[in-house]
Amino acid sequence: MDKHLKQASEKPRQTRRSLPMALLRARESVMKNFRPMLEKHNVTEQQWRVIRVVAEAGALDATEVASRASILAPSLTRIIKTLEQRKLIKRQNDSKDGRRVVLALAPAGEVLLHKAVPESLAAHKGLEEKIGGDKLMLLLDLLDEVALRAGN
Amino acid sequence: MDKHLKQASEKPRQTRRSLPMALLRARESVMKNFRPMLEKHNVTEQQWRVIRVVAEAGALDATEVASRASILAPSLTRIIKTLEQRKLIKRQNDSKDGRRVVLALAPAGEVLLHKAVPESLAAHKGLEEKIGGDKLMLLLDLLDEVALRAGN
DNA sequence: ACCATTCAATTAACATGTTAATTAAATCTG
DNA sequence: CAGATTTAATTAACATGTTAATTGAATGGT
């Protein structure tokens, strides 16, 4: 029985033309450009996202942080715990709603932010040069559209 | 001096226009289309990738599987362990190289594959309809290019 | 053949992804 | 107002991501 013929006729879709795999590989390559900066400041990718989202908003409840940083609630709970222990963020209680946890940057978090942001921007600039500004823009638009349409 | 430009250079980049975040969100949305099928067959996303890669090749050593499925070696070691316990794959020893582990589908793995592949293809077809065939193709090309150029 | 080096796989340790279950506070409804 | 329902956050349990260290098997040079 010829395995090659069988493969050609009823083989599963090639993994290379699979959208999930393509997204995964692209993200993997892209993140290589940010890892040195993250490691230098001793934060994980997800911790950095939380810090940035909180910084952008000034103060934000956990649910909104999770949504904007694309992190699930259980993960965020653990991330908050470690970031609070490291005094990078602080948690407050919402006066209106006793269930909510409101997050804001702590002083050490502000310091880290100001040190790391330029390096993050530089990494993104580097990507823009490698990929090309127009292609990058096009890709961002396509990704947003896919996120909307595929998200059901 | 334009205050918008000045502000833009000193504030963190908006998370919405960040390529890593865009890739993450897009992937998240895309995966929603596959999760029901994965859950139905009781495999994780990564287990499914391993099964498909092994099936595509017939038999493959672990390093190649890791590379093609975009899974790191330590993760693959654990995945192999569980897939072997569930008798979905089998491991053989490379006669030439005593270090290598060669993987192939076990009978139960073949059964699972043939049941799940049509559903996986259907999910991908559904995506193609939601996004549009040309855009999907364009996106796949862009992602491949980014994976190449950004990857160092 | 010997030793150092390289390489494949595994293990270890910690962080996150993912779904289900739980707890406490808010809200709805009769 | 009381009871049922919803909601935000947490906890639990298991799987994977990630880096460093380890083990055993090839390889290279001498």
Side-chain angles (χ1 to χ4, degrees):
Chain A
M1 185 59 178
D2 189 322
K3 188 180 296 180
H4 289 293
L5 290 182
K6 183 183 177 188
Q7 271 184 341
S9 57
E10 27 177 277
K11 203 165 63 158
R13 161 180 221 83
Q14 295 285 344
T15 45
R16 331 190 181 124
R17 295 314 277 175
S18 142
L19 184 52
M21 288 288 294
L23 288 165
L24 185 60
R25 277 193 289 255
R27 202 180 127 71
E28 206 177 318
S29 290
V30 164
M31 285 314 298
K32 282 186 189 174
N33 295 269
F34 292 90
R35 282 192 206 296
M37 163 258 169
L38 293 173
E39 192 171 351
K40 177 178 172 186
H41 295 284
N42 276 294
V43 287
T44 66
E45 185 193 333
Q46 293 83 352
Q47 291 168 351
W48 177 236
R49 289 211 303 272
V50 169
I51 288 172
R52 283 182 54 178
V53 164
V54 170
E56 268 188 36
L60 213 55
D61 63 285
T63 299
E64 260 299 302
V65 171
S67 168
R68 297 191 193 183
S70 290
I71 292 175
L72 294 177
S75 297
L76 185 56
T77 294
R78 294 174 298 211
I79 292 171
I80 290 174
K81 192 183 304 178
T82 73
L83 288 183
E84 196 186 12
Q85 287 171 347
R86 291 176 56 184
K87 299 194 186 307
L88 295 175
I89 67 171
K90 54 188 174 187
R91 33 192 311 167
Q92 308 157 200
N93 297 329
D94 188 324
S95 52
K96 303 286 184 186
D97 190 333
R99 296 168 300 181
R100 289 182 187 281
V101 172
V102 178
L103 305 176
L105 280 194
E110 303 267 12
V111 171
L112 189 155
L113 183 77
H114 290 313
K115 283 185 189 169
V117 159
E119 300 173 37
S120 176
L121 288 174
H124 213 280
K125 273 273 189 284
L127 272 177
E128 192 170 337
E129 286 175 10
K130 290 178 187 172
I131 298 170
D134 349 326
K135 274 187 184 170
L136 178 55
M137 207 89 78
L138 173 59
L139 177 56
L140 285 172
D141 289 341
L142 273 175
L143 290 172
D144 279 355
E145 200 175 336
V146 166
L148 277 181
R149 296 200 186 175
N152 198 4
Chain B
M1 187 54 78
D2 188 319
K3 65 190 167 199
H4 287 297
L5 291 181
K6 183 180 180 193
Q7 211 181 26
S9 64
E10 294 181 352
K11 277 192 140 178
R13 160 174 291 276
Q14 296 286 340
T15 45
R16 339 187 178 110
R17 296 312 279 175
S18 142
L19 184 53
M21 289 287 294
L23 287 165
L24 186 59
R25 278 193 289 255
R27 204 180 126 71
E28 206 178 317
S29 291
V30 165
M31 285 315 298
K32 283 185 187 173
N33 295 268
F34 292 90
R35 283 192 206 295
M37 163 261 171
L38 294 172
E39 191 171 352
K40 178 178 173 185
H41 295 283
N42 276 295
V43 288
T44 67
E45 185 192 332
Q46 292 83 352
Q47 290 167 352
W48 177 236
R49 288 212 303 272
V50 169
I51 288 172
R52 284 182 53 178
V53 165
V54 170
E56 269 187 34
L60 212 56
D61 63 284
T63 298
E64 259 300 301
V65 171
S67 168
R68 297 191 193 183
S70 289
I71 292 175
L72 295 177
S75 297
L76 185 56
T77 294
R78 295 175 297 211
I79 293 171
I80 290 173
K81 191 182 306 178
T82 73
L83 288 182
E84 196 185 13
Q85 287 172 346
R86 292 176 55 183
K87 300 194 186 304
L88 294 175
I89 67 171
K90 56 188 173 187
R91 33 192 309 168
Q92 309 157 200
N93 297 329
D94 188 323
S95 52
K96 303 286 184 187
D97 190 333
R99 298 168 299 180
R100 291 184 187 280
V101 173
V102 178
L103 304 176
L105 281 193
E110 303 267 11
V111 171
L112 190 155
L113 182 77
H114 289 314
K115 284 185 189 169
V117 159
E119 300 173 35
S120 175
L121 288 175
H124 213 280
K125 273 273 190 284
L127 272 177
E128 193 170 334
E129 287 175 8
K130 289 179 188 173
I131 298 171
D134 347 325
K135 274 187 184 170
L136 179 55
M137 208 88 79
L138 173 60
L139 178 56
L140 285 171
D141 289 340
L142 273 175
L143 290 172
D144 279 354
E145 200 176 335
V146 166
L148 276 182
R149 296 200 187 176
N152 173 54

